[in-house]
Amino acid sequence: MRANKYFDLICGSYEPAVSDQHVPDFAYNPLNTSGKLYNPIIDNEWLRENKPPIWPDNRKFAVCLTHDVDSVSDFDPRQNIRRIKKLLKTTSNRSLGETARKVVEHNLSALKGLVGKKDNLCEFDKWMDLEAKHGARSTFFFAPEKVGQPHESDCMYKYDQKIKYRGKFIDVAGLMREMDSQGWEIGLHPSWHTFDDLDEMVFQKQQVEAVLDHSINSVRQHFLKYDPLNTFKVQTEAGFKYDSTMGYNDNLGFRRGSSYLFNCYDLKSDQPLPLLQLPLIIQDGALLAPDKGLRLDSDKALEYIKHVANEVRLVGGVLTLSWHPHTFNRPGYFDVYRKVLELLEKDDPWFATVNEVGDWWRKRSEIDLLKFTKNIPSE
Ligand SMILES: [Zn+2]
């Protein structure tokens, strides 16, 4: 262990390594115990003697809106058959009663699909219209449709699956191209087992690129499941420029003590990687899910968001948010998102996609937090 706590924090050397294919604690952070989780301590340290980042048009901070597309519809019959098959293959992970309940549930959903009932699970156009109203475009991270090494958490949709979009039915590939052509960004939401598998990561990246007919630069791991020793190297070698996985499933705040972009670090070779990190600061489920995380009501969630957004504004950083499109019909979720955008717009941030923020930082920023934290004298 190095002596400098800031450098250790930003490099991830405090974070537990994967053991037995399992990340021990998704929410682990040494800042949890010191009460500094909602304070970008490294950015504040930087600002003691240095200037804040500059943003286009002299804006004071940036907001990066993102969405992990885990699911696109409920009633698709083929998807439900795939779900049932997977359930029956993985029965050892749950009780028999639970498996039976889920099988019945998916059968019913498949039946609804077969009689022509279409769901409005995601309402992608509503997310896009809301963002456009605020002059924003977001990044949608899409899962691959094929996975070489399956895991029970894999997303189940296919790119030819039909979904409703602006009153018509289009397939997922069509939606991805539509978003792409209108200035939204498409990134990869790779499956569980990509965390240490380059071939698998490349295989999944190429599927999205084949749909778009151009390369993609950004990535966020499904379930934020990463291995500090391997994942960022794998992402780099797969050709990604920007990752936004360093956040929480059960809390919000600054996992590596910063809202600035910084180079991911290869702990094995003790070298920085060219891959830039846009830390994920706030995600929907961690605040609003009734059965995990902070379990807040909408008003309390907004209070937390306001507090953390203000911290980012004060240091001139990037507030990266993630809202899952499939939460559209859940109480609170879309409504809180709408209120957050209204709230943020009042402070006139630079709304930008992962790529836009990353490209700007690469060209214009002289802030290198690895170099900076390395030179902070140890206490
Ligand atoms: Zn996911």
Side-chain angles (χ1 to χ4, degrees):
M1 186 75 71
R2 281 167 287 257
N4 184 327
K5 65 176 183 178
Y6 290 101
F7 187 66
D8 279 342
L9 177 63
I10 204 150
C11 288
S13 32
Y14 287 120
E15 292 182 358
V18 167
S19 65
D20 203 15
Q21 294 283 297
H22 193 70
V23 175
D25 182 355
F26 286 115
Y28 179 81
N29 185 309
L31 302 175
N32 294 11
T33 49
S34 60
K36 290 178 178 159
L37 189 57
Y38 300 161
N39 176 349
I41 55 167
I42 292 180
D43 305 349
N44 281 314
E45 195 63 29
W46 166 264
L47 291 173
R48 278 199 216 200
E49 288 179 17
N50 301 286
K51 288 195 176 121
I54 44 163
W55 297 111
D57 305 322
N58 286 321
R59 295 235 166 71
K60 297 284 180 259
F61 69 116
V63 171
C64 185
L65 306 172
T66 69
H67 307 280
D68 298 350
V69 184
D70 287 342
S71 180
V72 300
S73 64
D74 265 341
F75 297 159
D76 185 83
R78 285 181 308 151
Q79 172 182 282
N80 278 292
I81 291 165
R82 287 196 297 275
R83 281 172 167 168
I84 291 167
K85 276 190 189 160
K86 192 166 81 173
L87 277 169
L88 297 175
K89 263 191 217 156
T90 56
T91 44
S92 59
N93 300 335
R94 68 189 85 75
S95 73
L96 220 60
E98 175 75 358
T99 301
R101 191 184 61 74
K102 286 192 167 175
V103 168
V104 170
E105 201 177 278
H106 294 325
N107 264 316
L108 279 176
S109 293
L111 220 68
K112 284 181 189 162
L114 282 172
V115 296
K117 198 165 161 44
K118 301 289 183 197
D119 59 67
N120 57 349
L121 183 70
C122 291
E123 301 276 15
F124 288 101
D125 42 351
K126 303 263 176 28
W127 298 93
M128 294 166 74
D129 289 347
L130 175 65
E131 289 162 1
K133 197 178 103 185
H134 293 281
R137 299 283 185 278
S138 60
T139 301
F140 284 86
F141 293 103
F142 277 85
E145 60 172 350
K146 293 185 208 107
V147 163
Q149 256 203 87
H151 182 268
E152 69 163 339
S153 73
D154 291 343
C155 301
M156 297 298 288
Y157 56 90
K158 301 281 181 199
Y159 295 163
D160 64 355
Q161 198 163 317
K162 292 273 188 285
I163 47 139
K164 204 169 99 192
Y165 179 76
R166 305 208 181 283
K168 289 190 193 141
F169 286 92
I170 60 170
D171 60 22
V172 173
L175 174 72
M176 290 157 83
R177 286 191 283 265
E178 172 77 9
M179 288 170 160
D180 184 50
S181 70
Q182 290 192 34
W184 273 261
E185 181 191 348
I186 307 297
L188 178 69
H189 196 43
S191 75
W192 189 271
H193 283 302
T194 55
F195 76 90
D196 66 348
D197 188 332
L198 179 59
D199 291 342
E200 184 73 48
M201 185 72 87
V202 170
F203 175 56
Q204 299 189 8
K205 179 171 182 266
Q206 285 172 344
Q207 292 173 45
V208 173
E209 291 175 337
V211 170
L212 301 177
D213 201 21
H214 63 72
S215 61
I216 56 168
N217 296 324
S218 59
V219 59
R220 171 177 298 135
Q221 299 294 125
H222 188 36
F223 277 90
L224 312 184
K225 198 243 183 181
Y226 72 79
D227 170 2
L229 290 177
N230 291 298
T231 307
F232 305 106
K233 180 99 186 298
V234 166
Q235 291 175 345
T236 305
E237 287 176 353
F240 288 109
K241 287 160 79 176
Y242 310 118
D243 173 72
S244 181
T245 302
M246 292 183 191
Y248 290 113
N249 290 305
D250 300 311
N251 211 327
L252 69 171
F254 307 95
R255 184 167 177 160
R256 297 272 176 108
S258 178
S259 69
Y260 295 174
L261 282 75
F262 54 89
N263 286 83
C264 296
Y265 200 77
D266 183 14
L267 292 163
K268 279 186 178 165
S269 67
D270 221 4
Q271 292 291 327
L273 294 162
L275 182 79
L276 279 177
Q277 180 64 213
L278 276 84
L280 171 61
I281 314 293
I282 300 172
Q283 76 158 313
D284 53 1
L287 301 168
L288 295 164
D291 53 352
K292 62 166 219 157
L294 299 174
R295 301 166 167 89
L296 306 174
D297 63 30
S298 299
D299 290 344
K300 262 280 178 270
L302 277 165
E303 263 180 51
Y304 273 71
I305 294 167
K306 266 187 213 170
H307 174 81
V308 167
N310 197 46
E311 293 290 324
V312 175
R313 190 180 58 81
L314 291 173
V315 297
V318 187
L319 182 71
T320 301
L321 300 128
S322 175
W323 248 249
H324 292 75
H326 68 258
T327 63
F328 183 81
N329 294 299
R330 291 186 193 170
Y333 281 72
F334 190 73
D335 200 42
V336 169
Y337 191 62
R338 189 201 323 267
K339 287 178 179 152
V340 171
L341 294 198
E342 273 165 21
L343 201 99
L344 291 171
E345 202 185 350
K346 286 187 192 145
D347 287 325
D348 195 27
W350 181 44
F351 284 108
T353 65
V354 172
N355 241 327
E356 288 166 343
V357 174
D359 286 353
W360 173 271
W361 192 271
R362 212 176 271 280
K363 281 193 205 107
R364 301 295 299 273
S365 171
E366 279 161 17
I367 303 176
D368 181 339
L369 288 185
L370 291 180
K371 217 184 257 176
F372 169 66
T373 50
K374 202 168 195 170
N375 292 323
I376 296 175
S378 304
E379 285 161 9

